[in-house]
Amino acid sequence: MSDLVTLSIDGIELSVPEGTLVVDAAKKVGVEIPVFCYHPKLEPVGMCRMCLVAIGRPIFDRTTGEPVLDEDGIPKINFGPGLQTGCTVPVSEGMVVVTDSPAAVEARASVIEFLLSSHPLDCPICDKGGECPLQNLTMEYGKGESRMNYSDKLKLDKHVPLGDLIYLDRERCIQCARCIRFQDEVVDDPVIAFHNRGRRLEIVTLSEPGFDSYWSGNTTDICPVGALTTADFRFGARPWELNPVSTVSIHGPAGSNMTVSTRREARAGGRTVIKRALPRQNELVNEIWISDRDRFVYHFADAEDRLRQPMVRVDGRLQPATWDEALDLVAAKLQQHKSAAAWLAGDRLSNEDLFLFQKLFRKGLGSNNLDLADGRLAGGDIVAQVGFVSWPDASAPHRLGAGDAVLVVASDLHEEEPIWWLRAKQAAERGATLVVLNVRSTRLDEYASHVVRYQPGMALETVRQLLTAAKVETDSQEALTRAAAALIKAQNLVVFYGYEGLTYDETDELARLLGNLLLLKNEEGINHVGRANNGLIPVWPHNNTQGAWDMGVHPALGPGYKAVGAPGLDARGTYEAAQSGALKVLFVLGADPVGDGLMPSRGALDFLVVQELFLTATAELADVVLPAQSWAERDGTFTSGERRIQRYFPAIQPLGEARSDWQILSLLCERVGLGKPAVAASQIFNEISKSVPQYKGVDYRALARVEEQWPDVGHDDIYYGGTVYENRSGLGHQWPPMATEATEPFDISDRSSTTEAAGLQVIRPAALFTPGILINHTEVLESRLAVPTLLLNSAEAGRLELESGDRAAVSVRGHGFGALILVDDEIASGLALLRGVPYFEGRATAEINKIAALEKEFAA
Ligand code: SF4
Ligand code: FES
């Protein structure tokens, strides 16, 4: 704990840690020092002078070193000749700050007058009007009149696209550089900059495509004027018309806290629609940032082609039906076939949905044939033992730094969960040892102290060697041994693991190996389980994969990881059985195995039910289609990869006759004799807390618990932190991992990874904007969607007679893609990356043909 410094601000005495800036110290005692260029998450620059205050310090006797006292015995204070910027001056012992001295009041008014001299004053039509720091501080501290001649104002361009997602109004910019500094300091994407000097200074983009960053939307939150706006919100609504509704990311496994702003709209026939999504502060999860995927993807909820009515196949065609007709038919078919039925779910559904799903199948039909439709990453049971533990205090979170370590294996965090990438990067910048193990380079490598690159198929062997090296001290200078030595020395150790280039079974082994690494004791004789800032984080593919594991959506594990009697069919077995005719009925909940290439067709199934938002490729083949509500229309809980259970709330009215997934499943439970249907999601959550030991004692009220956070943002003083929302709906609850100091190492096999065949190995790297059912319904992201691209090094490209920019027909496990060729010598020989295509497991050999050459052949 740093030393405390005592000072007074406007007569209030306070003690704050050494190094605290005057502006932050004032904030802690509720004294307002207005700022424009300062932001509590950025380094201070002292550019705008809005925070000028009078600062005095005690006078010390040079001979004795003691403070000089006045006749009353009080230390004499020297205020010096001028005002100082509160945002750049750290507190010191005995300091006296006066924020409302006549000189400070005059200085602030002058700064505002100066800023307004080149501001368009278009507040009545500005998107920021109503939540604009410049407007608010002008009302509070401005003179109310100006000596400037309005007609002499500089006219600059408006509506300048910095990229597809962000627009700049050059006239409104007050040159505070918050946007540039955020891109540079926080997310290390320096893609915007100042250009020109003086009054002609303007923001420009340096990247092609423009503003090429996954974080661009955050600059619109922290811009203190309406100079930066998002493409989908600008001119869309006025802030005072908006109703904030708390929600949680529907995409990322970090569980980013967000707020959607809603408004009733004539254009939508009087319906309430989502107008924008902003971060909601949770210092333990996403602080005050969200990725552009989380910010923009909500548009799918209002898509025209959402399913609005149940449908039943009659005479070969899907026809509208009533809920009773559809549900009666489904319940009858399930009961008729029982063990010859199977159920596959997606991992974006809520805990309440997934719990009822397994209950209906296990209790109602006596079958364990249930699984995630698209299981990619195993090890949920290991995570339950050695999962990551958060710092308990959101008001002063202890962040990883010097003496700590972060290990990332088989994952590209920048593409899979940018929030975790940011966390790992910032830990490294604070001095933590970052070790990255992957088959290829990723955007984390540049911050890592140790990068270990393995050959395709060698991931498990590499981690085994790492574990052995960590157990046995050696003098080897090998990169892996040095990495192991750094990890075993760490005070705190966090391990992320993913599935890039690995089969599902391999990821199970990987989780065990990494679990054993965490169980090893460091030099001080303590291991890395069950302690804050230590543990395993699975980079799950979706927002609630963790919840699916917790709820028992697994053929062998019930709720709370309890082993079930005889394991049922897993997803792979289900797809095979559907084709062979061994399976009669399949219920697909929130997933599209046909569209995702996991199931070639409906095969020999007698009856296929799909519960979905859209008429997916699987739904088109179904006998009954049940329209579900999107996450924006209902409430529920998701559990993040850090096992944090978090609530989300209904933001808009349901579309058509769509019902929430838990309501539909509840009605089916009733039809198979499991009692009256639930009437609220909270009722199901209470049942979960009784059935899942890890959720014991947790209820919706506990999830709504909030506490003071630092920095203190999200109130009316938006000049300080930006338009990020205060968290009033809950920080969630992290369930504790089960392992203790005494836990025995996990069983591991000596199984080698399997290689499909010799030759070029193709793996699928993640891409943040990979096309998918939700993102494809977000027009504003269309230009960002990952284009199918095959990346390989020049030797491999030369062998295949390919060059960058060529197009090739790539066939992987029977699926063909037209892919752009990109030659990249960072990629190892024998490896090719196929990005922007639907998921395929592990490594594959691919047939690759240049399209132009094929066309020539056909022409001949
Ligand atoms: S665009 Fe906004 S955040 Fe960027 S420098 Fe201008 S006023 Fe500041
Ligand atoms: S100089 Fe302090 S806020 Fe700008």
Side-chain angles (χ1 to χ4, degrees):
M1 179 111 182
S2 43
D3 292 339
L4 290 180
V5 169
T6 301
L7 71 159
S8 96
I9 302 180
D10 287 355
I12 304 172
E13 192 161 293
L14 67 152
S15 296
V16 290
E18 198 177 8
T20 304
L21 296 168
V22 167
V23 74
D24 292 331
K27 179 86 181 155
K28 282 189 192 276
V29 288
V31 173
E32 179 169 285
I33 299 180
V35 297
F36 284 125
C37 68
Y38 178 70
H39 186 282
K41 296 268 181 189
L42 301 175
E43 288 298 316
V45 283
M47 283 166 65
C48 73
R49 326 305 284 175
M50 187 59 191
C51 60
L52 286 171
V53 287
I55 296 180
R57 296 173 179 83
I59 301 170
F60 289 92
D61 185 316
R62 288 188 185 183
T63 50
T64 63
E66 294 297 313
V68 178
L69 307 179
D70 62 15
E71 53 276 16
D72 297 327
I74 297 168
K76 282 190 176 173
I77 302 295
N78 176 15
F79 273 92
L83 300 171
Q84 296 184 52
T85 46
C87 74
T88 55
V89 176
V91 294
S92 59
E93 189 64 34
M95 180 184 267
V96 175
V97 179
V98 181
T99 70
D100 56 357
S101 71
V105 171
E106 175 60 28
R108 261 178 234 141
S110 299
V111 168
I112 286 179
E113 186 182 10
F114 172 71
L115 289 177
L116 295 185
S117 71
S118 51
H119 193 79
L121 304 178
D122 57 350
C123 310
I125 55 143
C126 176
D127 300 83
K128 204 85 167 189
E131 56 183 17
C132 171
L134 180 59
Q135 189 181 39
N136 295 359
L137 295 182
T138 298
M139 303 305 281
E140 185 86 24
Y141 299 104
K143 282 184 174 154
E145 57 186 32
S146 174
R147 289 167 286 173
M148 306 296 164
N149 185 349
Y150 187 79
S151 57
D152 286 347
K153 282 196 177 199
L154 201 62
K155 298 283 185 292
L156 293 171
D157 291 343
K158 297 172 104 53
H159 319 307
V160 181
L162 286 181
D164 298 316
L165 300 176
I166 308 295
Y167 280 70
L168 168 69
D169 185 316
R170 285 193 176 134
E171 286 188 342
R172 294 179 188 157
C173 174
I174 60 166
Q175 308 176 355
C176 70
R178 273 185 173 186
C179 54
I180 296 171
R181 285 149 56 215
F182 167 79
Q183 287 298 136
D184 194 5
E185 284 172 25
V186 179
V187 296
D188 199 12
D189 278 340
V191 294
I192 52 173
F194 280 141
H195 178 62
N196 281 335
R197 294 255 172 150
R199 299 189 71 185
R200 296 221 164 259
L201 185 143
E202 62 192 33
I203 304 280
V204 292
T205 177
L206 306 173
S207 61
E208 180 54 47
F211 213 150
D212 191 12
S213 170
Y214 288 166
W215 304 93
S216 64
N218 295 288
T219 60
T220 66
D221 299 336
I222 59 173
C223 177
V225 288
L228 296 176
T229 47
T230 55
D232 61 343
F233 179 65
R234 56 201 300 271
F235 303 127
R238 310 314 306 275
W240 56 86
E241 303 165 349
L242 299 172
N243 181 34
V245 182
S246 297
T247 194
V248 176
S249 167
I250 185 71
H251 265 289
S256 289
N257 288 207
M258 308 198 300
T259 297
V260 288
S261 305
T262 66
R263 183 182 83 161
R264 281 191 68 202
E265 202 150 276
R267 265 195 307 200
R271 286 190 73 243
T272 299
V273 294
I274 299 176
K275 298 300 294 181
R276 64 178 184 181
L278 296 182
R280 179 166 50 106
Q281 186 181 26
N282 191 331
E283 288 297 319
L284 302 175
V285 177
N286 53 311
E287 302 183 33
I288 58 169
W289 314 122
I290 53 173
S291 72
D292 285 347
R293 181 174 64 178
D294 283 340
R295 184 178 300 265
F296 292 104
V297 161
Y298 66 85
H299 291 273
F300 76 87
D302 261 328
E304 280 294 311
D305 56 342
R306 279 274 313 276
L307 292 170
R308 288 156 204 256
Q309 203 177 357
M311 289 188 287
V312 171
R313 192 170 294 279
V314 181
D315 298 332
R317 290 186 49 222
L318 283 170
Q319 310 274 5
T322 66
W323 272 108
D324 278 341
E325 286 165 353
L327 292 175
D328 288 346
L329 181 58
V330 173
K333 286 286 182 185
L334 290 176
Q335 281 177 309
Q336 179 190 343
H337 291 287
K338 288 198 170 162
S339 59
W343 209 320
L344 296 172
D347 39 5
R348 292 186 206 278
L349 296 151
S350 76
N351 290 323
E352 293 76 4
D353 304 331
L354 295 166
F355 179 79
L356 276 193
F357 159 78
Q358 64 81 35
K359 177 180 166 182
L360 171 59
F361 231 59
R362 288 205 167 100
K363 281 204 176 155
L365 304 169
S367 165
N368 286 315
N369 292 344
L370 68 156
D371 202 358
L372 286 176
D374 161 19
R376 302 179 187 189
L377 182 59
D381 48 339
I382 306 299
V383 172
Q385 299 279 332
V386 298
F388 172 76
V389 179
S390 278
W391 191 255
D393 181 3
S395 68
H398 176 81
R399 315 244 184 236
L400 294 182
D404 303 324
V406 179
L407 169 65
V408 181
V409 185
S411 173
D412 183 346
L413 290 179
H414 188 249
E415 301 291 334
E416 294 176 67
E417 180 46 282
I419 285 293
W420 284 341
W421 172 82
L422 187 59
R423 222 191 275 176
K425 164 190 166 286
Q426 291 185 327
E429 287 169 341
R430 283 188 295 265
T433 301
L434 174 61
V435 180
V436 179
L437 264 67
N438 207 333
V439 70
R440 63 171 180 104
S441 63
T442 71
R443 251 208 94 183
L444 213 45
D445 292 4
E446 60 190 284
Y447 313 98
S449 350
H450 306 273
V451 175
V452 178
R453 202 71 54 79
Y454 49 76
Q455 290 295 311
M458 294 301 288
L460 293 182
E461 280 76 0
T462 308
V463 176
R464 253 183 228 125
Q465 285 168 23
L466 180 84
L467 187 57
T468 310
K471 281 185 204 161
V472 185
E473 243 180 72
T474 70
D475 294 332
S476 163
Q477 288 305 302
E478 293 285 319
L480 196 73
T481 320
R482 279 184 276 128
L487 293 175
I488 197 61
K489 277 197 203 112
Q491 176 66 26
N492 297 301
L493 172 60
V494 177
V495 179
F496 291 91
Y497 77 105
Y499 51 91
E500 194 167 281
L502 301 177
T503 64
Y504 182 80
D505 292 342
E506 285 168 358
T507 61
D508 178 65
E509 181 78 356
L510 178 62
R512 288 165 188 280
L513 288 164
L514 295 173
N516 287 351
L517 180 69
L518 287 160
L519 285 166
L520 287 183
K521 295 199 163 105
N522 68 7
E523 289 173 334
E524 291 167 26
I526 46 173
N527 66 17
H528 300 287
V529 300
R531 282 197 293 131
N533 277 346
N534 287 274
L536 189 60
I537 302 184
V539 188
W540 297 124
H542 293 120
N543 54 311
N544 202 30
T545 321
Q546 179 70 51
W549 278 84
D550 296 353
M551 295 304 113
V553 180
H554 193 281
L557 299 172
Y561 301 87
K562 281 175 256 175
V564 297
L569 280 177
D570 64 9
R572 288 151 191 79
T574 299
Y575 297 133
E576 277 167 27
Q579 300 304 308
S580 71
L583 198 67
K584 298 293 176 213
V585 175
L586 177 61
F587 195 128
V588 179
L589 177 69
D592 182 19
V594 174
D596 290 343
L598 298 164
M599 191 168 89
S601 65
R602 64 175 275 164
L605 289 170
D606 276 358
F607 192 71
L608 174 64
V609 191
V610 174
Q611 189 167 313
E612 251 301 350
L613 302 178
F614 297 98
L615 195 64
T616 58
T618 314
E620 279 178 5
L621 302 174
D623 297 289
V624 175
V625 178
L626 304 172
Q629 292 170 3
S630 75
W631 110 121
E633 289 146 72
R634 31 81 50 101
D635 62 345
T637 56
F638 296 141
T639 306
S640 75
E642 295 168 57
R643 303 170 334 285
R644 182 171 295 276
I645 313 161
Q646 302 187 103
R647 277 184 79 181
Y648 62 94
F649 298 83
I652 57 175
Q653 297 105 326
L655 277 189
E657 294 179 24
R659 290 180 175 176
S660 63
D661 290 285
W662 66 260
Q663 278 174 324
I664 302 169
L665 294 163
S666 206
L667 291 166
L668 284 170
C669 281
E670 184 187 28
R671 280 168 168 78
V672 302
L674 290 177
K676 283 197 183 316
V679 293
S682 57
Q683 194 184 338
I684 305 166
F685 194 86
N686 290 343
E687 195 179 338
I688 292 173
S689 68
K690 291 194 189 96
S691 310
V692 179
Q694 294 82 356
Y695 286 55
K696 191 170 174 211
V698 184
D699 58 16
Y700 272 18
R701 201 176 317 156
L703 300 181
R705 182 191 56 85
V706 285
E707 63 188 58
E708 221 172 75
Q709 301 191 67
W710 184 260
D712 186 9
V713 299
H715 314 290
D716 291 341
D717 52 356
I718 42 176
Y719 63 83
Y720 185 68
T723 46
V724 54
Y725 276 91
E726 181 187 354
N727 199 329
R728 294 185 184 163
S729 316
L731 299 175
H733 170 86
Q734 185 187 45
W735 62 262
M738 297 178 277
T740 62
E741 281 279 307
T743 299
E744 289 291 315
F746 300 105
D747 288 341
I748 51 172
S749 70
D750 54 2
R751 182 171 45 115
S752 298
S753 303
T754 47
T755 305
E756 259 201 10
L760 191 66
Q761 298 283 294
V762 179
I763 67 166
R764 175 192 175 274
L768 188 72
F769 296 116
T770 296
I773 196 77
L774 304 188
I775 210 167
N776 292 355
H777 284 89
T778 297
E779 211 180 312
V780 72
L781 288 177
E782 208 175 299
S783 62
R784 295 287 180 111
L785 289 186
V787 174
T789 306
L790 186 76
L791 299 101
L792 67 185
N793 70 23
S794 42
E796 298 291 356
R799 198 174 52 74
L800 292 159
E801 296 180 8
L802 294 168
E803 290 174 11
S804 277
D806 282 350
R807 287 186 59 75
V810 182
S811 171
V812 181
R813 299 195 188 139
H815 297 279
F817 307 98
L820 191 70
I821 299 299
L822 200 62
V823 174
D824 179 351
D825 281 326
E826 278 279 296
I827 296 167
S829 287
L831 179 67
L833 311 178
L834 186 52
R835 190 174 65 200
V837 300
Y839 175 70
F840 62 85
E841 189 184 1
R843 305 162 297 282
T845 48
E847 197 179 310
I848 301 166
N849 290 298
K850 191 167 168 175
I851 286 181
L854 283 179
E855 279 165 1
K856 260 187 243 155
E857 258 175 52
F858 284 126

